[in-house]
Amino acid sequence: MLKIAMIGAGSIGFTRRLMMDILAVEEFRDTEFRLMDIHEENLNSISKLCRKLIEVNSLPAAIIATTDQREAIRGADYVICTARVGGLEAFRHDVEIPLKYGVDQCVGDTLGPGGVFFAMRTIPVLLGIAADMRELAPDALLLNYSNPMAMNTWALRRAGGIRTVGLCHGVQGGHRQIAAALGLPQNEVDFICAGINHQTWYIQVTHKGKDMLPYLLEAFENHPELSKSEPCRIDVLRRFGYYSTESNGHLSEYLPWYRKRKDEIDKWIYTGSWIGGETAGYLNHCLSRTDDYQDMIPKWLNGEEEYIKLGDRSDEHGSYIIEALETGRAYRGHFNIENRGHLTNLPDGCTIEIPCYVDRNGIQTGWIGKLPMAPAATCRASISVQEMAVEAALTGNRELVKQAILHDPLTAAVCTTDEVWRMCDEMFEALSPWMPQFNGENKRWNDIPQPAEGAYRFPRQAGDWLPPALSNRGEAAPAVSRLSVGYKDS
C-alpha cells in the first residue's frame, strides 16, 4: 500500500484530479492519501469529495485529513506539494501593487515582481516540508507542483536535502495545440521540448520522422481558433522560429515587448479567456472559481453533477512517475531538474525543463546540447532573475530581491530604478506575514547536499529480505538454458 502525502490539498479541483489519476493505476487502488492543508474548511470539503469518489468506485483507498504537516509526511512514500502560500490575499498584492507602477501581469506567479515575491514566501514553506521529510520520510520523493517552479525547485536542491522533481503541464498543452494546428492526430506528432519552466521550446517537431518545424507558423496563422487566441506566442514563433509551451498570457509577461505600452497591449492579448493575457486574469479567475466551487460542492456530493470517472486519467505527470517507479512501466515526460550540462548554453545549476525517462531504476535525464540562440537568450535573462531571487530567499537579502526584480525583463521595460525600489518596499510591507526571512524572524537556510549527489535513483534497503540463493528457504533457482557468455554457433 502506497502512502502519499498531499500538502496544500485544499485545492478543490487539482487534488481530486491527482488522486483519481493515481487510483487509475490498478496496483494503487488501496493507496492511503494524507491530505494536509492549513485551511480547515477547505480541507474538510476536499476530504468529503475525495471520500465520495472512493466510495462511488468501491475502492479500498483511504483518506486521512490533517492540518498537521508532520502527521501527513510521516512514513510517506511520496509527497505532492500544490500549496499556494498566502492564498488569494497575498496573490492580490503580487498583482495589484506592481500594476500601480505600470507592471501589468496576467498571472504573476513565475517571474516579475509577483513571481519573485511568490518565491520569497513559498520557498520557506517548501524547505519546511523538506525538513520534515528528512526526519520522517527520508526515502520519499517530493513531486512539486507549486510555482514559481524554477525558483522553488532550485532552492530545494540547494537547501532541501531531499529528492525532488518539479512538474508542470505546459508541455502537454502545447503538444495538443501543435497537433491541432497541423491537423494531425496528437499521438502521431513527436517532439523534443527544452528550456526553462514556462519558457520551454519545441525545438523538434516531427510526424512519422518528417520535420514539421517549417510548417508551424503557417499552420498557426491559418488555424481558425489558435490564430486568434495566441497572438503573442505566434509572434514569438514568427521572430524566433520556435513555439513556446506557455499560454499567451503567461508568455507575454516574461518578455519585455508585449505589455509595456497600454495602447498596444490589446494587440497581444486574447479576451475570450483569462489565460489569453488580460490584466490580473488568473487572480480574477481564482476569485470567480471560489464562488463556483461553493455552489458545486453539494452537487458533487449528492451526485447531481458528475464525478471524475475512474480510469479517466489526465496527462499530469505525477501518477505516471509514481507508476513507472513502482511498476517499471516506462514513462517519458518533461520535468524540471537541475542543469548538469544537459543544456550546454544555459548555466549549470539552474532549473531546466527537458525530456526525462522513468522506470524502476529512477528518473533518467536526457541530454539536449545547445538551445537555439534566441530561446536561449530569453531563458538566460529569466535565469539571472531566478538565481538572485533564490539566493535572496535563502539569505534574507532585501537588496538582492530588488536587484532581481530590477533585472526582470517586463519590469525593466516600464520602471525606473527608483520605481522598482519603491514598489518592492511596498510589497515587502504588504507581504511580510508570509516571509520569515524579512519580517523580523530572520530565518536563514544553509545549503544541504542532495541525496545520491543529485542523481534521481531511489533504491530502497532490502531489510531482512535475501535473494533465494543466499537464504535458507531452499527455493530452487530458476532454470537458465545457458550461462556462458559469447555467441553460440550451434
Side-chain angles (χ1 to χ4, degrees):
M1 178 180 71
L2 286 180
K3 297 179 177 66
I4 298 178
M6 304 183 78
I7 310 299
S11 170
I12 298 296
F14 204 35
T15 297
R16 288 182 301 152
R17 177 69 273 168
L18 293 177
M19 183 191 79
M20 291 304 289
D21 284 352
I22 292 166
L23 292 176
V25 182
E26 189 171 351
E27 291 92 335
F28 302 160
R29 298 281 165 84
D30 62 348
T31 296
E32 179 180 280
F33 295 94
R34 287 95 168 267
L35 308 185
M36 182 271 163
D37 203 286
I38 61 173
H39 298 287
E40 201 159 357
E41 183 179 352
N42 288 5
L43 182 62
N44 289 337
S45 296
I46 189 62
S47 299
K48 289 177 183 176
L49 290 168
C50 287
R51 289 189 179 107
K52 183 70 174 179
L53 282 167
I54 289 169
E55 177 188 337
V56 165
N57 290 286
S58 302
L59 299 175
I63 298 294
I64 296 174
T66 179
T67 57
D68 184 336
Q69 180 174 288
R70 290 174 61 82
E71 180 184 345
I73 289 174
R74 190 183 305 277
D77 299 296
Y78 296 92
V79 178
I80 298 174
C81 182
T82 58
R84 170 172 278 281
V85 180
L88 296 183
E89 180 184 356
F91 193 11
R92 280 185 184 274
H93 296 311
D94 288 341
V95 173
E96 293 176 355
I97 294 174
L99 190 59
K100 290 165 53 179
Y101 293 85
V103 184
D104 186 319
Q105 301 168 111
C106 171
V107 184
D109 72 352
T110 295
L111 209 65
V116 170
F117 273 92
F118 196 13
M120 294 306 111
R121 60 183 189 271
T122 306
I123 287 171
V125 170
L126 286 169
L127 294 177
I129 292 170
D132 287 343
M133 289 177 63
R134 291 197 305 270
E135 179 185 351
L136 304 171
D139 295 326
L141 171 66
L142 173 61
L143 305 174
N144 178 59
Y145 278 98
S146 290
N147 283 322
M149 180 61 65
M151 289 185 262
N152 287 345
T153 52
W154 196 335
L156 279 166
R157 291 194 309 272
R158 277 191 54 181
I162 59 167
R163 300 173 174 91
T164 186
V165 64
L167 306 179
C168 182
H169 50 232
V171 173
Q172 299 96 299
H175 181 205
R176 287 192 292 273
Q177 288 187 331
I178 288 171
L182 292 170
L184 292 168
Q186 186 177 341
N187 63 358
E188 292 184 9
V189 177
D190 297 308
F191 65 95
I192 294 173
C193 224
I196 64 174
N197 184 237
H198 289 185
Q199 290 178 49
T200 320
W201 306 86
Y202 296 90
I203 59 173
Q204 179 172 297
V205 178
T206 60
H207 175 247
K208 298 183 177 179
K210 297 184 289 291
D211 185 9
M212 293 290 106
L213 285 180
Y215 308 109
L216 281 191
L217 179 59
E218 184 178 0
F220 273 94
E221 289 177 332
N222 291 337
H223 192 275
E225 295 178 22
L226 295 170
S227 61
K228 297 179 178 64
S229 64
E230 306 294 340
C232 172
R233 293 170 85 181
I234 291 173
D235 192 59
V236 172
L237 171 61
R238 184 179 297 117
R239 315 290 177 181
F240 286 20
Y242 299 93
Y243 197 60
S244 175
T245 52
E246 207 40 61
S247 68
N248 198 75
H250 265 300
L251 184 61
S252 69
E253 65 185 358
Y254 308 144
L255 304 170
W257 311 302
Y258 299 103
R259 307 183 72 90
K260 65 181 179 181
R261 296 176 184 164
K262 289 184 179 179
D263 59 339
E264 289 192 5
I265 288 179
D266 289 347
K267 178 181 178 181
W268 302 113
I269 69 173
Y270 171 66
T271 58
S273 168
W274 72 264
I275 206 168
E278 65 184 40
T279 301
Y282 189 45
L283 173 62
N284 294 332
H285 171 73
C286 291
L287 291 169
S288 67
R289 290 292 283 173
T290 299
D291 294 334
D292 291 343
Y293 281 140
Q294 294 307 313
D295 293 336
M296 290 300 295
I297 286 171
K299 296 178 182 179
W300 283 321
L301 287 173
N302 65 26
E304 183 179 342
E305 291 290 337
E306 190 174 23
Y307 277 84
I308 303 170
K309 293 181 179 178
L310 183 65
D312 182 15
R313 196 174 182 185
S314 79
D315 57 11
E316 294 289 348
H317 294 304
S319 69
Y320 296 97
I321 291 174
I322 296 172
E323 179 182 12
L325 290 172
E326 296 292 328
T327 71
R329 291 192 283 270
Y331 175 66
R332 176 187 185 269
H334 289 68
F335 313 150
N336 289 270
I337 55 100
E338 181 178 4
N339 190 26
R340 294 189 170 191
H342 306 96
L343 280 173
T344 56
N345 54 349
L346 296 187
D348 276 356
C350 73
T351 302
I352 57 172
E353 193 167 56
I354 61 169
C356 299
Y357 300 82
V358 196
D359 58 18
R360 274 203 184 103
N361 292 307
I363 300 173
Q364 314 304 322
T365 53
W367 184 85
I368 300 297
K370 285 186 176 181
L371 268 186
M373 292 183 72
T378 296
C379 288
R380 283 196 294 266
S382 296
I383 290 167
S384 293
V385 176
Q386 295 164 0
E387 182 179 24
M388 286 186 279
V390 170
E391 179 70 15
L394 298 178
T395 62
N397 188 329
R398 291 171 67 102
E399 291 301 294
L400 200 51
V401 174
K402 295 176 181 180
Q403 291 167 10
I405 293 174
L406 185 69
H407 286 84
D408 168 64
L410 176 58
T411 305
V414 298
C415 287
T416 66
T417 55
D418 189 53
E419 287 169 337
V420 171
W421 256 241
R422 294 204 311 270
M423 174 176 64
C424 289
D425 285 338
E426 193 171 341
M427 295 182 78
F428 273 120
E429 182 176 354
L431 294 162
S432 65
W434 300 283
M435 299 189 299
Q437 323 93 308
F438 305 109
N439 63 8
E441 296 180 43
N442 296 318
K443 287 283 290 183
R444 303 289 186 269
W445 294 269
N446 296 321
D447 286 6
I448 300 174
Q450 297 177 62
E453 298 182 339
Y456 294 93
R457 297 192 293 271
F458 320 109
R460 298 180 182 132
Q461 296 298 316
D464 295 332
W465 185 88
L466 290 172
L470 302 179
S471 70
N472 296 319
R473 290 178 292 178
E475 297 178 19
V480 178
S481 60
R482 184 168 175 269
L483 292 174
S484 61
V485 178
Y487 182 73
K488 185 178 179 181
D489 292 312
S490 58

